[in-house]
């Protein structure tokens, strides 16, 4: 992941935005594939690799053409669709804890399903899903702006694919898009499930 990140930064400095983009997308693909078939610890490592790639793509997004943006969207969607569901990984991890670590591991596995550690794991998966969905929506908006010379007043007006469901929305509503002067705000309601209009989260 660090190698992909370094390659992306170097390409960015060289003005080779296509290569910088591809390096970031390669990291996202690596992160998505490396978590499949493993335990929770492997999934968390995969998420970190994905985060490295996501940051690399975002760093170069404002240099991309509409075609490059849409290419990135397709690759991110393909990587996301190839990931195992979180439930599969959590179940595999639970079974492993039950059978591979003795009575203490079995007790830990049972208790962890009843306390905050399980919630923390669910939040990690939700963060990854939301961040990638927001990045994809951002890239789609850039492509739309380049092709139409403006931003849509509403997402529905753009005729872009529907925004993905917000993993934290208690009513399973989509991610939010708002115009903000000459720009826009894309956001998730976040872990507290409250729609605050995309206000920047507090430090805590």
């Amino acid at each position: 992941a660090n190698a992909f990140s370094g390659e992306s930064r170097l390409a960015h400095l060289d003005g080779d935005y296509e290569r910088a983009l591809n390096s970031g997308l390669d990291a996202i693909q690596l992160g998505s594939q490396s978590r499949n078939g493993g335990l929770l610890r492997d999934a968390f490592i995969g998420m970190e690799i994905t985060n490295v790639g996501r940051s690399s793509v975002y760093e170069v997004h404002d240099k991309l053409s509409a075609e490059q943006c849409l290419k990135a969207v397709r690759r991110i969607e393909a990587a996301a669709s190839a990931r195992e569901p979180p439930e599969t990984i959590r179940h595999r991890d639970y079974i492993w804890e039950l059978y591979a670590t003795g009575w203490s591991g079995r007790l830990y596995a049972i208790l962890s399903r009843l306390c905050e550690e399980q919630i923390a794991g669910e939040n990690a998966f939700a963060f990854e899903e939301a961040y990638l969905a927001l990045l994809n929506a951002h890239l789609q908006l850039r492509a739309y702006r380049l092709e139409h010379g403006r931003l849509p007043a509403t997402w529905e007006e753009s005729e872009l694919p529907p925004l993905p469901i917000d993993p934290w929305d208690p009513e399973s509503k989509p991610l939010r898009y708002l115009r903000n002067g000459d720009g826009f705000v894309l956001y998730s309601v976040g872990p507290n499930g409250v729609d605050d209009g995309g206000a920047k989260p507090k430090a805590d």
Side-chain angles (χ1 to χ4, degrees):
N2 286 335
F4 281 133
S5 177
E7 183 179 55
S8 181
R9 287 197 302 271
L10 181 60
H12 195 168
L13 290 171
D14 288 342
D16 189 346
Y17 304 124
E18 177 82 14
R19 186 160 61 92
L21 171 65
N22 285 332
S23 297
L25 294 171
D26 287 343
I28 291 175
Q29 184 176 350
L30 173 64
S32 295
Q33 292 179 346
S34 65
R35 56 186 265 179
N36 289 348
L39 305 175
L40 276 174
R41 69 192 71 179
D42 304 302
F44 294 150
I45 293 171
M47 289 178 198
E48 287 303 313
I49 295 172
T50 298
N51 284 338
V52 169
R54 178 176 52 79
S55 296
S56 294
V57 172
Y58 186 75
E59 285 297 318
V60 76
H61 82 275
D62 58 346
K63 303 292 194 302
L64 302 178
S65 67
E67 182 181 354
Q68 288 170 326
C69 286
L70 296 177
K71 168 191 169 184
V73 167
R74 290 191 293 270
R75 283 197 60 185
I76 292 171
E77 289 176 344
S81 66
R83 294 197 307 257
E84 284 185 331
E87 298 76 21
T88 300
I89 299 172
R90 282 196 291 264
H91 181 69
R92 184 186 299 118
D93 194 84
Y94 177 65
I95 297 300
W96 184 87
E97 289 280 3
L98 287 178
Y99 290 98
T101 57
W103 72 267
S104 61
R106 288 194 289 275
L107 178 61
Y108 176 80
I110 293 168
L111 292 177
S112 69
R113 292 171 75 88
L114 303 174
C115 67
E116 291 184 357
E117 181 169 327
Q118 185 71 11
I119 296 172
E122 291 173 0
N123 271 345
F125 285 109
F127 268 113
E128 180 186 45
E129 181 182 346
Y131 276 135
L132 283 178
L134 287 167
L135 175 61
N136 252 6
H138 196 124
L139 291 167
Q140 290 180 63
L141 278 173
R142 173 165 174 81
Y144 182 94
R145 191 174 202 169
L146 290 172
E147 291 174 343
H148 296 83
R150 62 178 179 85
L151 286 169
T154 65
W155 192 268
E156 291 72 23
E157 175 200 300
S158 71
E159 299 184 354
L160 291 168
L163 281 167
I165 297 299
D166 185 342
W168 276 303
D169 191 285
E171 299 178 8
S172 298
K173 292 181 180 178
L175 297 167
R176 273 60 164 183
Y177 164 73
L178 296 176
R179 285 297 305 273
N180 181 16
D182 293 333
F184 62 90
V185 180
L186 278 167
Y187 67 97
S188 160
V189 298
N192 66 5
V194 177
D195 186 353
D196 53 13
K200 190 174 181 179
K202 297 180 181 178
D204 60 355

